[in-house]
Amino acid sequence: MDVLDFQLDPAWMSLSKPRQRILIADSVGLGKTLEAGILLSELIRRGRGRRILVAATKAMLVQFQKEMWGRFTIPLVRLDSVGLSRIRADIPTHHNPFYYFDKTIISIDTLKQNNWFRTHVENAHWDVIVIDEAHNVATRGNKDSQRSGIAQKLARNCDSLLLLSATPHDGKAESFASLMNMLDPTAIANPSEYGKDDIEGLYVRRFKGDVKEQL
């Protein structure tokens, strides 16, 4: 890959802190997946990325898996319906399948539709969790969606958390605050009223115009 300087920024920002928890919100085409892969690779090299879970949309499972392997040699086992069936046939029913593989990728909707699987993933601990298209797990309105509830539980079960989204803000302060609070539950006291200083260091957001000299 041709590394551009701005694509290293999320890793630099995250690795300067004790825990790597960040929203990578660059616009489409700037390489959010690459930025996540760079940070994951560095965490693995530092011994802090042995157990990795990626939660993505069904449409992105194969592409994300190929990107992580082809560019970073990070092997993610895809746990779709076929993978689920294979695991359930191979291990005792009372064993947690998420301790069977250290690095996996799964669809949030699979977790939403499979109570057996969701219970196991929520009871496992991870070094790093990546949630792609993270705007899908933000809280909407006054009630948490099932996706949002799963994401909030996952966020508590990992040391490092990477949220990826080109459209992280839907115009409602409470919705964006729910993503920030997954990264740092102490960041925002009032989800309806907060400022840039409250969430500084929790996200990186660039548009093509911001980095046009490097493109």
Side-chain angles (χ1 to χ4, degrees):
M1 56 184 276
D2 298 322
V3 181
L4 305 176
D5 286 345
F6 76 88
Q7 293 176 336
L8 300 176
D9 290 342
W12 283 119
M13 183 187 298
S14 298
L15 293 167
S16 67
K17 299 179 179 181
R19 301 177 77 201
Q20 288 65 56
R21 300 175 75 88
I22 188 171
L23 165 66
I24 301 176
D26 286 345
S27 65
V28 174
L30 294 188
K32 291 182 295 299
T33 305
L34 296 180
E35 291 168 349
I38 291 167
L39 180 51
L40 285 176
S41 296
E42 187 61 25
L43 289 172
I44 291 170
R45 290 172 69 90
R46 295 180 183 209
R48 296 160 61 185
R50 185 179 69 86
R51 286 183 44 73
I52 297 172
L53 172 70
V54 176
T57 61
K58 287 183 178 179
M60 284 296 296
L61 284 179
V62 174
Q63 181 179 335
F64 203 105
Q65 182 189 34
K66 287 183 175 179
E67 288 273 328
M68 289 300 109
W69 176 248
R71 297 184 187 273
F72 304 101
T73 60
I74 298 174
L76 298 173
V77 177
R78 189 167 71 249
L79 295 182
D80 48 19
S81 57
V82 176
L84 288 176
S85 299
R86 187 179 71 248
I87 288 177
R88 294 190 73 169
D90 288 347
I91 66 173
T93 54
H94 62 283
H95 284 202
N96 190 327
F98 288 99
Y99 288 118
Y100 192 70
F101 296 113
D102 281 335
K103 296 175 177 65
T104 61
I105 182 168
I106 192 169
S107 164
I108 281 278
D109 287 329
T110 296
L111 295 176
K112 187 176 73 171
Q113 296 163 8
N114 190 311
N115 292 332
W116 177 85
F117 217 57
R118 184 171 70 250
T119 298
H120 282 302
V121 76
E122 290 174 351
N123 288 331
H125 189 273
W126 306 89
D127 295 324
V128 190
I129 290 179
V130 181
I131 300 179
D132 192 28
E133 304 291 343
H135 52 272
N136 291 321
V137 301
T139 298
R140 309 290 183 191
N142 296 324
K143 293 183 68 177
D144 288 344
S145 67
Q146 198 169 3
R147 287 177 176 175
S148 175
I150 292 170
Q152 289 174 31
K153 289 180 181 178
L154 291 177
R156 295 191 289 268
N157 287 358
C158 61
D159 297 324
S160 299
L161 177 63
L162 283 62
L163 304 179
L164 312 180
S165 175
T167 54
H169 207 304
D170 65 354
K172 297 180 180 178
E174 295 83 359
S175 176
F176 189 70
S178 71
L179 295 179
M180 294 296 97
N181 282 332
M182 288 182 198
L183 299 169
D184 181 0
T186 67
I188 297 174
N190 182 355
S192 301
E193 186 176 346
Y194 55 92
K196 189 174 181 180
D197 291 343
D198 296 315
I199 56 177
E200 186 177 1
L202 290 178
Y203 71 98
V204 58
R205 171 77 160 162
R206 282 82 55 90
F207 298 91
K208 289 184 178 179
D210 300 325
V211 296
K212 60 183 178 181
E213 298 84 1
Q214 298 183 44
L215 297 176

